[in-house]
Amino acid sequence: MSDHLPSEIVVEILKRLPVKSLLRFSSVCKSWWFLITSPDFITIHLNQTTSNSTAAAAHTLVRRYCKFRAKEIYSLHLDKESFADERAGIEFPFGEQSRFYFRIVGSCNGILCLYDDLFGNTGNIILWNPMIRRSLTLPVPNFTFDCNDPHMFVLGFGVDPKTNDHKVVRISYLHGDNAYIVLPKVEIFSLQLGSWKEIKTIVPYFITEHFWSQAFINGVVHWVAYYRVGKSGDRNRDRNRIFRCLVMSFDMGSEVFGELSLPECLGAGVPPMNMSASVFGGSLSILRLDQRIWPHSCSIWIMKDYGIVGSWVNQFNIDLEGVLGMALGLRKNGEVLFATTSGELLSYNHGTRTIIRLNMGKCGTKDSFYVDSYIESLVLLRVGNRDLGTEGRRMVESTSSSSGDSEGDDEGADIEVEYNELWMKKVTVQYLTALLGEP
């Protein structure tokens, strides 16, 4: 049929199709394969999807670590009242590459950035498109520390909106007993170039290790950061110090660091480890816990007008002692998704102060949950590794044969992951408390 249609018409038709159909149609003939896998068409299809507000906001991605099956579980849900599980069988092919589960640095244009640093750091950074079952394990960065030197790495993931180049920024910190003792090193991985490069810059602020999270919006990555201030008001390294918190940003296009001030009640005196950056309802947000370990309450601050410091609003206050694990995201109906201490995913109506159960059962450890909006794309189709589905099926089959399919009963399940989650948090909180000093 395509022989009788202008190529422009073929592109107009194909760009509106879902990824699953395009993968099937790519085998119709060589000309369609070259078209569908071309960088230009991948960009055209992505732009069509993101411009369609209905399609772009249709799905919510949920990740959790199931103790009973000892594996990461990924599923896509329709953000409707039932929160229906539209696609539960997303194959995760990297289970053997992490002790328990990966940190999801971020999600952008159908790609997840995975980093294995939560239970020991292997250094593995993976870009993964689950819908087309393609991934790319990033090459080893140019800058590394001696394994005996105490250090940490902070990542950011997003895309340059002008060039559609997906990038990973890596900040390397080396620290001593009382403070960071060298200026951080910054490297950027460009998907289009396929390599790392170091940028000559000074990272102006510090980010808390282990607890860091990013928020990517408007082509910019954001983290909660802090700097130390002496009692005299000057920045110094003495033990008599206080700290101030803010949002540190990194523009994926200009590759320049920036900053945004927080409301005074958050910027002064709130430990940075008790706050995290997120995106709620398409806006830059800050989640503030009353305490990092076993929190009782959470407040959610949203920047209504991006870049306008005066537009910060305390949108939600959730007080669910003994139930609250972590707030995760905002649904289209205004309800807040959160993980419970027992490993359930629930929806909270702030207006009526009621909890809605989503019929997912106790499906994960509370710290393993990740929730974000998700769109399908063809990104990584040409550069990613192939045959992930086959490997994933082998893992699923071996796991199923040994442990069964049930996720509902965790009795007798491997609880080592929860001990490790708690131990890592306690050790890090003790270290950061000593590092920051008393406000």
Side-chain angles (χ1 to χ4, degrees), residues 1-147:
M1 179 181 71
S2 61
D3 294 336
H4 305 288
L5 289 175
S7 59
E8 296 82 1
I9 300 299
V10 174
V11 170
E12 284 295 316
I13 295 172
L14 294 180
K15 75 177 186 180
R16 290 170 167 78
L17 298 180
V19 165
K20 185 176 181 179
S21 298
L22 290 172
L23 293 178
R24 185 168 65 250
F25 293 160
S26 66
S27 60
V28 170
C29 60
K30 286 186 177 181
S31 62
W32 278 28
W33 184 87
F34 282 112
L35 170 62
I36 292 172
T37 62
S38 68
D40 287 343
F41 180 79
I42 291 173
T43 300
I44 290 171
H45 181 265
L46 177 62
N47 291 338
Q48 173 68 25
T49 303
T50 54
S51 65
N52 184 340
S53 58
T54 302
H59 294 98
T60 298
L61 176 76
V62 176
R63 191 284 302 269
R64 66 272 194 199
Y65 181 85
C66 177
K67 295 183 295 181
F68 188 82
R69 298 172 64 180
K71 65 181 296 185
E72 293 184 51
I73 306 295
Y74 289 77
S75 56
L76 281 181
H77 300 259
L78 294 174
D79 191 5
K80 297 181 179 179
E81 183 177 357
S82 64
F83 205 64
D85 189 343
E86 186 183 59
R87 186 173 298 185
I90 297 178
E91 299 175 5
F92 183 70
F94 313 110
E96 296 180 348
Q97 298 185 33
S98 176
R99 185 177 180 187
F100 296 113
Y101 55 86
F102 284 82
R103 178 198 298 272
I104 300 181
V105 178
S107 172
C108 178
N109 292 340
I111 303 177
L112 301 180
C113 179
L114 309 177
Y115 184 36
D116 185 23
D117 75 323
L118 293 176
F119 305 96
N121 194 340
T122 66
N124 288 339
I125 305 172
I126 301 172
L127 301 183
W128 177 45
N129 186 330
M131 292 301 100
I132 62 173
R133 296 193 288 204
R134 295 292 181 100
S135 74
L136 179 69
T137 300
L138 271 56
V140 177
N142 300 319
F143 181 80
T144 58
F145 289 113
D146 184 281
C147 61

Side-chain angles (χ1 to χ4, degrees), residues 315-369:
Q315 191 77 16
F316 302 101
N317 291 292
I318 303 174
D319 190 354
L320 298 170
E321 183 175 353
V323 178
L324 177 66
M326 176 61 73
L328 300 168
L330 189 66
R331 302 182 64 183
K332 288 191 294 185
N333 61 7
E335 295 175 358
V336 178
L337 289 171
F338 72 94
T340 70
T341 55
S342 62
E344 293 183 80
L345 181 65
L346 302 181
S347 187
Y348 178 72
N349 188 310
H350 186 263
T352 61
R353 300 188 182 279
T354 55
I355 295 175
I356 297 92
R357 299 187 179 277
L358 300 177
N359 298 319
M360 295 180 64
K362 296 180 180 180
C363 58
T365 66
K366 67 181 181 65
D367 292 338
S368 69
F369 276 94

Side-chain angles (χ1 to χ4, degrees), residues 114-404:
L114 309 177
Y115 184 36
D116 185 23
D117 75 323
L118 293 176
F119 305 96
N121 194 340
T122 66
N124 288 339
I125 305 172
I126 301 172
L127 301 183
W128 177 45
N129 186 330
M131 292 301 100
I132 62 173
R133 296 193 288 204
R134 295 292 181 100
S135 74
L136 179 69
T137 300
L138 271 56
V140 177
N142 300 319
F143 181 80
T144 58
F145 289 113
D146 184 281
C147 61
N148 295 320
D149 295 329
H151 61 270
M152 72 158 178
F153 303 106
V154 174
L155 302 186
F157 173 63
V159 63
D160 179 350
K162 294 182 179 180
T163 64
N164 284 316
D165 186 11
H166 294 78
K167 299 179 181 180
V168 176
V169 57
R170 178 179 182 259
I171 308 172
S172 307
Y173 288 97
L174 179 68
H175 49 81
D177 294 334
N178 299 322
Y180 294 98
I181 56 178
V182 296
L183 293 177
K185 299 282 187 177
V186 181
E187 290 182 278
I188 296 176
F189 177 84
S190 162
L191 184 59
Q192 291 182 357
L193 298 178
S195 61
W196 293 93
K197 68 174 182 179
E198 182 177 347
I199 61 173
K200 301 297 182 181
T201 186
I202 295 177
V203 180
Y205 305 110
F206 302 114
I207 299 174
T208 56
E209 61 182 288
H210 187 73
F211 298 122
W212 59 267
S213 66
Q214 74 155 46
F216 179 72
I217 186 171
N218 296 335
V220 181
V221 178
H222 306 80
W223 308 268
V224 172
Y226 69 95
Y227 61 91
R228 297 184 306 276
V229 181
K231 289 186 175 180
S232 64
D234 297 325
R235 301 183 189 188
N236 57 45
R237 296 178 181 271
D238 63 44
R239 295 293 295 175
N240 297 318
R241 59 185 180 270
I242 61 175
F243 56 87
R244 289 193 64 88
C245 297
L246 72 165
V247 175
M248 185 171 77
S249 63
F250 184 80
D251 190 301
M252 284 297 189
S254 64
E255 299 180 351
V256 172
F257 285 98
E259 63 184 77
L260 291 169
S261 296
L262 289 170
E264 185 64 19
C265 60
L266 298 180
V270 177
M273 57 193 167
N274 290 355
M275 294 189 288
S276 58
S278 184
V279 177
F280 268 58
S283 298
L284 176 63
S285 306
I286 298 296
L287 279 60
R288 194 258 190 184
L289 301 174
D290 64 327
Q291 57 189 29
R292 173 54 71 168
I293 302 177
W294 304 118
H296 299 158
S297 62
C298 173
S299 61
I300 302 173
W301 291 74
I302 295 178
M303 180 174 268
K304 292 291 188 178
D305 297 317
Y306 181 76
I308 307 300
V309 175
S311 68
W312 283 110
V313 174
N314 184 192
Q315 191 77 16
F316 302 101
N317 291 292
I318 303 174
D319 190 354
L320 298 170
E321 183 175 353
V323 178
L324 177 66
M326 176 61 73
L328 300 168
L330 189 66
R331 302 182 64 183
K332 288 191 294 185
N333 61 7
E335 295 175 358
V336 178
L337 289 171
F338 72 94
T340 70
T341 55
S342 62
E344 293 183 80
L345 181 65
L346 302 181
S347 187
Y348 178 72
N349 188 310
H350 186 263
T352 61
R353 300 188 182 279
T354 55
I355 295 175
I356 297 92
R357 299 187 179 277
L358 300 177
N359 298 319
M360 295 180 64
K362 296 180 180 180
C363 58
T365 66
K366 67 181 181 65
D367 292 338
S368 69
F369 276 94
Y370 176 87
V371 172
D372 199 1
S373 59
Y374 186 83
I375 62 170
E376 297 183 355
S377 81
L378 296 170
V379 180
L380 294 185
L381 186 58
R382 288 294 294 268
V383 298
N385 302 323
R386 303 186 181 203
D387 297 326
L388 290 178
T390 302
E391 181 182 356
R393 281 191 292 274
R394 286 199 298 268
M395 291 182 181
V396 170
E397 290 166 0
S398 69
T399 303
S400 299
S401 63
S402 61
S403 61

